[in-house]
């Protein structure tokens, strides 16, 4: 096993690859999502990814803890009770396992 000792920051260029949203989750539009690995712990239990997406409306279901920090753009998140909240660049959101949210991306988001 090779251990990499470089320091990476969230402002470096990312090597994105397509990461399609489950078609059954898409409610409106044709959102295109991409992902890029930023870091991973040596034991494989933690990782940090970039994720971006074009305009669309879709559901997202969380099977594990996820904390996200919005780097660019915004999204309106709607919870299972129908409450909506706009989150934008600089905001941080936590989703516990078993939660879900309806995402409405008006233009673009990168987290």
């Amino acid at each position: 096993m090779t251990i990499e000792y470089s320091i990476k920051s969230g402002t470096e260029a990312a090597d994105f690859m397509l990461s399609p949203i489950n078609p059954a989750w898409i409610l409106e539009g044709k959102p295109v999502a991409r992902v890029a690995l930023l870091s991973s712990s040596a034991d494989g239990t933690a990782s940090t990814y970039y994720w971006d997406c074009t305009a669309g409306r879709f559901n997202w279901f969380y099977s594990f803890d996820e904390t996200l920090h919005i780097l660019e753009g915004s999204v309106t998140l709607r919870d299972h009770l129908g409450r909506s909240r706009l989150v934008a660049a600089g905001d941080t959101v936590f989703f516990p396992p078993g939660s879900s949210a309806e995402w409405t991306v008006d233009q673009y988001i990168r987290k």
Side-chain angles (χ1 to χ4, degrees):
M1 178 170 144
T2 303
I3 298 176
E4 186 177 330
Y5 291 99
S6 66
I7 297 172
K8 296 181 180 180
S9 73
T11 56
E12 295 175 16
D15 187 19
F16 280 98
M17 57 188 231
L18 288 176
S19 180
I21 297 168
N22 182 330
W25 297 1
I26 297 174
L27 303 170
E28 187 176 290
K30 295 182 181 183
V32 175
R34 303 180 308 161
V35 67
L37 179 65
L38 177 64
S39 66
S40 185
S41 63
D43 65 3
T45 61
S47 55
T48 306
Y49 288 88
Y50 289 113
W51 182 88
D52 73 355
C53 186
T54 60
R57 187 168 64 94
F58 50 89
N59 288 313
W60 201 272
F61 301 92
Y62 298 87
S63 58
F64 51 83
D65 290 334
E66 182 170 336
T67 301
L68 61 89
H69 182 79
I70 309 296
L71 299 169
E72 182 180 345
S74 64
V75 61
T76 300
L77 298 174
R78 185 171 165 229
D79 68 16
H80 68 285
L81 298 175
R83 298 176 297 206
S84 293
R85 177 180 178 169
L86 178 68
V87 293
D91 290 337
T92 302
V93 182
F94 173 74
F95 297 96
S99 64
S100 64
E102 179 183 292
W103 286 59
T104 302
V105 178
D106 288 328
Q107 294 181 1
Y108 172 80
I109 187 166
R110 182 167 58 105
K111 63 181 188 79

